Amino acid sequence: QGPSNSFTEDIDTNIGLLRKQLTSNKLLVHSFTTGKNQKTKISLLFINGVVDKELVENINSLIEKNKSMDISNLQSLSKMLGFSSWDTISKFNTTELPFHASQFLKTGRVVILVDQLPFALILPNLLWDMFIVESDRNFPFPIMITIRCLRVIGALIALISPGMYVALVAVNPEALQIELALSVAQSREGVPYPALVEVIIMLVVLELILEASIRLPKSVGPTITMVGGIILGQAVVEAKLVSNLLIIILAATTIANSTLVGAQSSLSIRLFKYINVILSSLFGVLGLVVGLVFISSYLASLTTFGKSYLYLNIGRKEQ
């Protein structure tokens, strides 16, 4: 629920759409022309008096310092702003909706618009951005809280489920009740691969299906991937290559991963779950816990211009 307009590839039109959503004389725009071989216009938008001035000054100085760099994608923009190209968590939160961008501006964020990129870049990106959408506030408060809790549960399921399967099947089956352990053993009867190989193969196949669904035409993509997934899942189970339980867990993992807000966030969670799977195959449930601690420590170490990734909100410094 919310406005249906979105950013286009014309940066002047994007700024106009954002000004229409946020009619305030405190909305400031700093524009730059970058690039030596290819001239690209970059605009920095923020609300004066709400944003942290130090954050704006840091971004302005970096853009001015590296104005000779050609900007055509997010990797080159990250390099211009001094971000590491090896971070698995993007420093930018992207949105195609002017309504969402205007709400981020009100909370003290900075919006960057790049010519020829049909979306806005929000700085800094925070952990809770993958669980919270401003349009949630169009629902009653109890429903809003429930929806956001479901997204948190979805992230935990996507991170934990594959690793938990490997840990309980291959390393710590004694942690299961005897009835459940017998049911799991029966579902894996005749499967020739270890649990780790079984999970990795099916996770890679799922990644291929997800990537194919993006590349295929919209008219046939969902149909082909749905039919292909059903036929493939049924075939591998009947061929005794994987267990029935694993198909259920991977389906739940894929659905849970799709509940997160933003493609960048869901891709990061898809990558992190492989760490938990490998550690769980080595150390069982303890390895899964170590993986979660490692991921939490990594997220806690991330900063953007001095702003922690785990901040609940970004605003100007108290004076």
Side-chain angles (χ1 to χ4, degrees), residues 200-270:
I200 292 296
I201 289 175
M202 290 308 300
L203 282 176
V204 172
V205 170
L206 272 176
E207 300 290 352
L208 294 175
I209 293 175
L210 290 174
E211 189 65 20
S213 66
I214 298 174
R215 304 300 165 210
L216 287 171
K218 292 183 178 179
S219 57
V220 298
T223 303
I224 291 178
T225 53
M226 183 182 297
V227 174
I230 294 174
I231 294 175
L232 181 63
Q234 185 68 24
V236 294
V237 170
E238 291 183 355
K240 296 292 184 180
L241 296 178
V242 299
S243 65
N244 292 317
L245 181 60
L246 178 61
I247 297 297
I248 297 173
I249 288 177
L250 294 187
T253 300
T254 304
I255 294 171
N257 197 88
S258 301
T259 62
L260 301 180
V261 179
Q264 303 269 5
S265 301
S266 62
L267 287 172
S268 301
I269 296 297
R270 281 163 59 182

Side-chain angles (χ1 to χ4, degrees), residues 92 95 106 228 273:
F92 303 103
T95 179
K106 293 178 182 178
K273 69 174 178 280

Side-chain angles (χ1 to χ4, degrees), residues 161-172 195-196 199 277 280-282 284:
S161 293
M164 183 66 73
Y165 172 83
V166 174
L168 295 179
V169 168
V171 183
N172 299 119
L196 174 63
V199 169
V277 168
S280 297
S281 68
L282 297 175

